[in-house]
Amino acid sequence: MKSNTLAIHEGTLKDRVTGGVNTPLYTSSACNYMDRGEAVYPRYFNAPNQDAVARKLAALEHAEAGLVFSSGMGAMSTSILAYAGSGDHVVMLDALYGGTHHFATEWFSHFGIDCTFTLTSAEDVIQKVTPKTRVIVIESPTNPLLAVVDIEKIAQFAREKKITTIIDNTFASPVNQTPLDLGIDIVVHSGTKYLGGHSDLCCGMVACSKEKMARILSLAKVLGPSLDPRLCHLLERSMKTLFLRVTAQTQTAMDVAGFLETHPAVAKVYYPGLEKCEGHEIAKRQMTGFGAMLSFEICGHDPDRFIESLCLIRPAVSLGGVESTICPPARTSHAKMSAAERKRVGVTDGLLRLSVGLEDAEDLKQDLDAALHKISKDI
Ligand SMILES: *Cc1c(COP(=O)(O)O)cnc(C)c1O
């Protein structure tokens, strides 16, 4: 079956009481232990509602196994620690999500893990690998400049060296990219974004082979970042419309990116779907769609004034919801960096990151156009 069908049906648990079409909500944290190997218990990640969403994600990511966590960071930190320990070396993109970057810089030494950061390029990742490298962590497209790395190239190299590869697939979502098909070992999501999709829950997910999942699950059970069955139920409902939502959002993002690219008040647009974008060729090969995240620079203008001039698009730091949101990364996700460091990685003060929602493309373009006109008039 196709993924848009699986998004609706896979994992759904039969309701034997009413014959209802939805997975019933099982809230018990005290369950019978007789006649079963391991009792059902939410912190064991084996509650029926956790299982339902995990199966759904596994199907969408073409994986044998899935697991749902209480946050994207819970999913990411558990996955890394399951495969890197004392004396091991990890290679990570410099442009990784801030929380993952922070985990490495602030906490890896505590666990005796050594780490090297790389540019957003497969060549640089490969070059930074040492005989002690056990894990490679990548993200594509990256936040906030939507840079793209050659996933297959990294995965192939890592397989030969028996290095475990982890990718943060949050920005693309399984609708636009399935990294296990490209040879990646472990896919991690912040389900808070597209999988949840309505800006009303925080969760994380992992998809990989059964073999790779065994260590992740074993560690997850003692670290304890499990998601409550009530939120799993809400997440399951959201994931049923994942394909419909993200396909429409991706289409609108392409439209909006094209509009911004030709707008005289916009200096630069970062979107892998644009031919002018550096990663376009690689993106065309490894993505089925270019996603619904884009960034752009309004040269010489105050981003706060621009954001205040928008009527429809809301200022917010998260992403992936049905409503379009915007934020200036220099003031939000990258605020902790020094100005010099931000300049080095290309995050200028005038850079804006837009999460394209489900509104009509014409309304979004009109909102952006009106705000761009307003700030252009002011100077
Ligand atoms: C939000 C985000 C995370 C962290 O997820 P949480 O659910 O906030 O823990 C990780 N990676 C990316 C790309 C994100 O956008």
Side-chain angles (χ1 to χ4, degrees):
M1 273 186 280
K2 299 271 197 293
S3 289
N4 47 354
T5 306
L6 293 171
I8 295 160
H9 294 287
E10 187 65 27
T12 307
L13 218 75
K14 274 221 170 71
D15 179 355
R16 298 194 195 281
V17 178
T18 69
V21 296
N22 293 308
T23 301
L25 174 53
Y26 293 91
T27 57
S28 291
S29 58
C31 302
N32 194 337
Y33 59 88
M34 290 174 145
D35 308 322
R36 42 171 86 230
E38 183 180 69
V40 166
Y41 186 57
R43 206 233 318 136
Y44 291 167
F45 292 71
N46 63 359
N49 294 95
Q50 295 170 331
D51 201 43
V53 281
R55 279 171 195 268
K56 202 185 284 295
L57 182 80
L60 300 182
E61 286 287 5
H62 307 159
E64 285 175 2
L67 207 60
V68 63
F69 288 78
S70 55
S71 72
M73 279 313 299
M76 180 54 91
S77 55
T78 306
S79 299
I80 294 173
L81 290 182
Y83 286 96
S86 186
D88 292 341
H89 178 245
V90 175
V91 172
M92 273 191 181
L93 294 191
D94 196 18
L96 279 185
Y97 174 72
T100 311
H101 199 277
H102 195 72
F103 179 48
T105 54
E106 300 297 313
W107 285 97
F108 272 15
S109 62
H110 182 78
F111 295 102
I113 303 168
D114 192 21
C115 183
T116 305
F117 291 101
T118 78
L119 304 172
T120 312
S121 93
E123 289 73 21
D124 202 41
V125 168
I126 289 167
Q127 210 205 328
K128 297 279 160 60
V129 165
T130 75
K132 289 199 162 167
T133 306
R134 298 314 315 141
V135 175
I136 294 175
V137 189
I138 61 169
E139 193 173 309
S140 184
T142 64
N143 176 30
L145 294 173
L146 287 307
V148 173
V149 281
D150 191 329
I151 297 171
E152 197 164 21
K153 196 169 192 171
I154 294 169
Q156 249 173 22
F157 171 84
R159 285 251 148 143
E160 280 165 25
K161 304 271 181 204
K162 299 206 166 19
I163 297 168
T164 301
T165 46
I166 302 177
I167 189 169
D168 185 328
N169 202 28
T170 302
F171 266 39
S173 93
V175 176
N176 290 315
Q177 185 168 274
T178 47
L180 297 182
D181 296 335
L182 301 165
I184 290 289
D185 293 315
I186 301 165
V187 170
V188 173
H189 281 282
S190 168
T192 314
K193 317 298 165 56
Y194 290 104
L195 302 178
H198 296 71
S199 310
D200 58 2
L201 72 93
C202 182
C203 70
M205 295 195 89
V206 170
C208 57
S209 67
K210 280 183 181 155
E211 190 198 342
K212 285 281 178 212
M213 191 61 91
R215 279 185 73 84
I216 297 172
L217 177 59
S218 166
L219 180 62
K221 281 179 180 174
V222 289
L223 292 180
S226 57
L227 189 68
D228 186 87
R230 294 161 186 85
L231 281 179
C232 291
H233 197 257
L234 187 62
L235 174 63
E236 186 179 351
R237 172 166 144 164
S238 290
M239 286 175 74
K240 289 184 186 183
T241 56
L242 179 72
F243 269 73
L244 199 60
R245 281 187 282 111
V246 177
T247 304
Q249 283 168 276
T250 297
Q251 210 171 349
T252 306
M254 188 75 209
D255 193 346
V256 170
F259 161 78
L260 289 171
E261 194 182 27
T262 55
H263 201 289
V266 174
K268 187 158 183 185
V269 182
Y270 300 88
Y271 183 65
L274 297 175
E275 271 175 33
K276 270 194 209 144
C277 261
E278 218 177 298
H280 179 66
E281 285 306 317
I282 300 175
K284 237 177 23 185
R285 252 189 286 134
Q286 66 191 22
M287 302 179 84
T288 46
F290 302 108
M293 294 300 301
L294 61 93
S295 289
F296 59 101
E297 259 161 34
I298 44 169
C299 184
H301 301 303
D302 175 2
D304 288 343
R305 284 278 300 128
F306 172 75
I307 291 172
E308 279 165 16
S309 306
L310 291 165
C311 297
L312 181 60
I313 301 168
R314 307 274 299 269
V317 284
S318 197
L319 60 105
V322 293
E323 59 289 306
S324 294
T325 55
I326 196 163
C327 70
R331 293 260 318 274
T332 55
S333 56
H334 290 64
K336 278 194 194 133
M337 273 188 181
S338 69
E341 219 182 327
R342 274 201 300 269
K343 196 170 173 202
R344 183 179 62 80
V345 298
V347 176
T348 62
D349 289 343
L351 185 75
L352 291 157
R353 189 193 73 184
L354 176 63
S355 168
V356 176
L358 272 177
E359 300 92 343
D360 192 271
E362 293 309 316
D363 290 332
L364 292 175
K365 289 190 282 185
Q366 212 165 63
D367 196 28
L368 290 163
D369 192 42
L372 286 167
H373 273 292
K374 190 149 183 240
I375 55 156
S376 306
K377 254 200 335 247
D378 287 354
I379 56 162

